[in-house]
Amino acid sequence: MVILFILSYGQERALFLTGFITLVSGGAVWIFARPGIHIGASGLIMGYFGALLLDAYRNPGLMTILIAVLTLYYLSGLFFNLLPGGKGVSWEGHVFGFIAGGLAVCLWRAIFKS
């Protein structure tokens, strides 16, 4: 469902967000995370989550706020994944993904002014 919200901004922006979040969060996990096997797409999902929320904050409009409200309503449980949890869960990937999503929104606005 979160990808549908991302795609509502357009295919070009969705591809930019996906690539940026994947590279930045993956690189940050590779450099800064604890030793172990970090696998899965949860960093990307958390990046989308962060991007949707920060976009509504930085660029308030009817569409962005509506999407942020729906995101919070359906996916608010994702906030708990930002904290260290169970053994074997890469919470670092979640945090770096969330941060990368916020950075992606800021970079998109700075480059494309939209």
Side-chain angles (χ1 to χ4, degrees):
M1 175 163 62
V2 71
I3 188 65
L4 295 176
F5 291 154
I6 292 293
L7 284 171
S8 71
Y9 292 121
Q11 182 180 9
E12 182 180 295
R13 186 171 178 187
L15 289 173
F16 172 80
L17 289 172
T18 301
F20 186 86
I21 292 167
T22 301
L23 292 174
V24 171
S25 67
V29 167
W30 186 53
I31 294 170
F32 298 112
R34 62 195 154 137
I37 299 174
H38 302 271
I39 190 167
S42 58
L44 180 61
I45 300 301
M46 292 300 290
Y48 288 157
F49 184 62
L52 291 170
L53 296 181
L54 187 67
D55 191 43
Y57 177 75
R58 288 188 46 110
N59 190 30
L62 180 63
M63 183 68 147
T64 58
I65 292 174
L66 180 63
I67 288 175
V69 167
L70 289 172
T71 300
L72 282 174
Y73 179 75
Y74 287 111
L75 304 171
S76 60
L78 291 179
F79 275 120
F80 295 112
N81 291 327
L82 295 173
L83 304 171
K87 184 178 180 181
V89 176
S90 177
W91 63 272
E92 298 99 330
H94 299 160
V95 171
F96 291 136
F98 191 82
I99 292 169
L103 289 174
V105 166
C106 294
L107 187 61
W108 176 267
R109 296 275 180 220
I111 293 173
F112 299 105
K113 306 280 192 253
S114 64

